[in-house]
């Protein structure tokens, strides 16, 4: 049989007697790619309540979307899930980049899932909105936890103001709880305002630090230390063990000076751990459980959540009112001129403010 140039394009040409298959897949086009079904609200709610994490992920994507139709659908799903939410322990975790947060979450996650808990990890990353980069570096982190069937990891929503990102995380917590996760970790980085946002949505706030981070001496982290319900000095292993212990003592001494430290119910403990070697991880979980028990017994747990809901309502209204004010066309048109008058000391700040508010109010009354 004469060979043609085309015969050499197939690996079967040497086997005489075997019919040559077509070079084009004959089945191509017979099975068009199935389109993902469009889910309705009830599909989402049923999926979440059935602990279906694919549907949970999709619902969180709706929460994070900037499309108004998605926003509406997400709000309906959240309302339907509300009666099934609220039963978890919400833990916030903060610390400077490199302190060992993700290593800790890996260790901690495998410890508590081995105890039978279901853990969801969410994040608020203040860097991602500014630089589109991520200090929390979502992709390569928590490799073993990300394949743990009892864990669910959701990276930080990357778009929007801190207020917007905080709202999305708060709403994602509700869905995760309705999907059966009894422990929620919200991670953030110890820079900027994001700690305050995380503190306002969790029951327990953990600060991870390391020896020599300067917290104990400079007091720059004073605000965060005051917010913390426990401080843990990480990397207490090998040659670093002694330094970590020294830092632990310094921090414990520094805490004595804080007025809220001698709280009637809770003294902020300072612990050491090695996230890498898994040392004292169990102790941290016990500390959190102890806190939860004391606070529940004394009705402080519920009280804190109610206060958080009220604050959330107020800050939602404040943010939206101020957005409406600054986006108002009348305010926009006159803002520069009023500000110039203020800078030239032709008017006071109060009079300038009142003028803009009057413009706003009369434009919304129309
Ligand atoms: P994050 O930026 O706070 O999430 O910190 P990572 O978890 O990414 O850790 C930063 C670096 O510190 C990594 O190289 C870790 O391997 C290392 N690390 C984290 N925990 C420990 C620890 O307990 N001991 C030691 N020696 N190194 C640690």
């Amino acid at each position: 049989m004469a060979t043609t140039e085309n015969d050499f394009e197939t690996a079967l040409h040497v086997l005489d007697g075997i019919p040559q298959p077509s070079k084009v897949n004959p089945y191509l086009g017979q099975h068009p790619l199935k389109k993902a079904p469009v889910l309705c609200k009830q599909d989402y709610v049923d999926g979440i309540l059935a602990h279906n994490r694919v549907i949970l992920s999709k619902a969180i994507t709706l929460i994070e979307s900037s499309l108004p139709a998605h926003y509406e659908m997400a709000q309906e799903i959240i309302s339907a899930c509300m009666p099934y939410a609220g039963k978890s322990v919400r833990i916030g975790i903060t610390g400077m980049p490199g302190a060992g947060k993700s290593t800790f979450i890996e260790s901690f996650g495998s410890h508590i899932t081995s105890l039978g808990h279901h853990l969801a990890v969410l994040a608020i990353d203040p860097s991602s909105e500014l630089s589109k980069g991520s200090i929390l570096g979502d992709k390569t982190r928590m490799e073993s936890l990300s394949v743990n069937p009892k864990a669910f990891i959701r990276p930080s929503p990357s778009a929007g103001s801190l207020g917007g990102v905080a709202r999305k995380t708060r709403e994602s917590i509700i869905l995760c709880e309705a999907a059966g996760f009894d422990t929620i970790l919200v991670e953030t980085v110890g820079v900027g305002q994001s700690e305050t946002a995380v503190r306002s949505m969790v029951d327990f706030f953990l600060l991870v630090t390391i020896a020599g981070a300067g917290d104990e001496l400079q007091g720059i982290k004073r605000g965060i230390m005051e917010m913390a319900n426990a401080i843990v000095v990480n990397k207490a292993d090998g040659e670093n063990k002694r330094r970590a212990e020294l830092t632990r003592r310094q921090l414990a001494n520094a805490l004595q000076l804080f007025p809220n430290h001698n709280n009637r119910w809770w003294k902020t403990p300072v612990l050491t751990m090695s996230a890498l070697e898994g040392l004292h991880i169990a102790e941290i979980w016990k500390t959190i459980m102890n806190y939860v028990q004391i606070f529940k017994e004394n009705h402080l747990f519920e009280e804190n959540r109610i206060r958080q809901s009220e604050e959330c309502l107020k800050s939602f209204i404040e943010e939206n009112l101020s957005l409406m004010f600054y986006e108002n066309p009348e305010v926009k048109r006159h803002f520069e001129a009023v500000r110039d008058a203020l800078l030239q000391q032709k008017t006071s700040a109060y009079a300038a403010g009142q003028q803009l508010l009057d413009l706003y109010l009369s434009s919304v009354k129309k």
Side-chain angles (χ1 to χ4, degrees), residues 95-105 135-136 141-142 187 189 208 210 234-238 240 273-278:
M96 294 302 281
K101 293 178 297 301
S102 48
T103 313
F104 165 69
I105 294 171
I135 301 182
L136 292 176
R141 305 161 77 239
M142 303 174 207
E187 179 191 7
V189 190
V208 177
I210 46 175
N234 189 28
K235 311 196 186 182
D237 45 47
N240 208 29
M273 73 168 170
S274 169
L276 203 60
E277 296 183 1

Side-chain angles (χ1 to χ4, degrees), residues 12 15-22:
L12 293 175
L15 301 174
D16 285 341
I18 293 182
Q20 295 299 299
S22 160

Side-chain angles (χ1 to χ4, degrees), residues 285-301:
W285 177 241
K286 278 192 199 142
T287 302
I288 297 171
M289 287 297 96
N290 190 18
Y291 177 94
V292 170
Q293 191 187 350
I294 293 172
F295 273 56
K296 279 195 172 163
E297 278 170 6
N298 294 287
H299 310 291
L300 300 165
F301 193 85

Side-chain angles (χ1 to χ4, degrees), residues 39-268:
L39 301 179
C40 69
K41 174 198 135 187
Q42 202 53 45
D43 295 332
Y44 280 107
V45 175
D46 291 346
I48 290 168
L49 298 182
H51 303 180
N52 180 328
R53 50 186 56 220
V54 175
I55 298 209
L56 170 65
S57 279
K58 288 186 174 174
I60 294 180
T61 304
L62 286 183
I63 289 178
E64 292 171 357
S65 165
S66 52
L67 290 181
H70 288 172
Y71 178 81
E72 266 172 42
M73 171 87 104
Q75 295 309 312
E76 288 178 19
I77 297 167
I78 293 162
S79 298
C81 286
M82 279 297 274
Y84 307 94
K87 296 183 189 78
S88 76
V89 174
R90 304 168 182 168
I91 303 163
I93 154 163
T94 191
M96 294 302 281
K101 293 178 297 301
S102 48
T103 313
F104 165 69
I105 294 171
E106 277 265 63
S107 263
F108 185 75
S110 80
H111 174 65
I112 68 167
T113 52
S114 76
L115 298 176
H117 294 284
H118 289 78
L119 171 73
V121 181
L122 306 171
I124 291 189
D125 185 346
S127 62
S128 45
E129 84 195 59
L130 299 174
S131 58
K132 300 280 172 240
S134 164
I135 301 182
L136 292 176
D138 297 315
K139 286 185 193 70
T140 52
R141 305 161 77 239
M142 303 174 207
E143 275 164 17
S144 74
L145 205 57
S146 60
V147 293
N148 182 328
K150 287 187 179 153
F152 173 81
I153 301 178
R154 180 77 184 193
S156 174
S158 57
S161 63
L162 179 60
V165 173
R167 175 184 64 76
K168 291 167 190 174
T169 308
R170 221 179 246 120
E171 292 175 341
S172 303
I173 291 176
I174 293 168
L175 299 193
C176 289
E177 289 175 342
F181 292 97
D182 60 35
T183 311
I184 314 280
L185 264 186
V186 185
E187 179 191 7
T188 193
V189 190
V191 290
Q193 294 294 306
S194 56
E195 294 84 7
T196 317
V198 172
R199 184 69 196 92
S200 72
M201 64 180 83
V202 296
D203 307 310
F204 189 95
F205 198 55
L206 181 71
L207 169 64
V208 177
T209 187
I210 46 175
D215 309 352
E216 67 282 19
L217 304 172
Q218 299 172 22
I220 40 163
K221 286 280 176 312
R222 195 185 159 111
I224 297 175
M225 280 173 68
E226 263 168 315
M227 275 191 259
N229 302 114
I231 299 174
V232 54
V233 184
N234 189 28
K235 311 196 186 182
D237 45 47
E239 289 179 357
N240 208 29
K241 216 167 173 174
R242 225 178 44 80
R243 284 179 66 219
E245 177 54 31
L246 184 67
T247 302
R248 190 197 69 74
R249 266 186 273 139
Q250 285 173 330
L251 284 171
N253 286 339
L255 273 179
Q256 300 290 340
L257 307 173
F258 291 1
N260 64 349
H261 176 63
N262 288 320
N263 186 303
R264 179 171 161 213
W265 306 107
W266 188 253
K267 265 191 174 47
T268 306

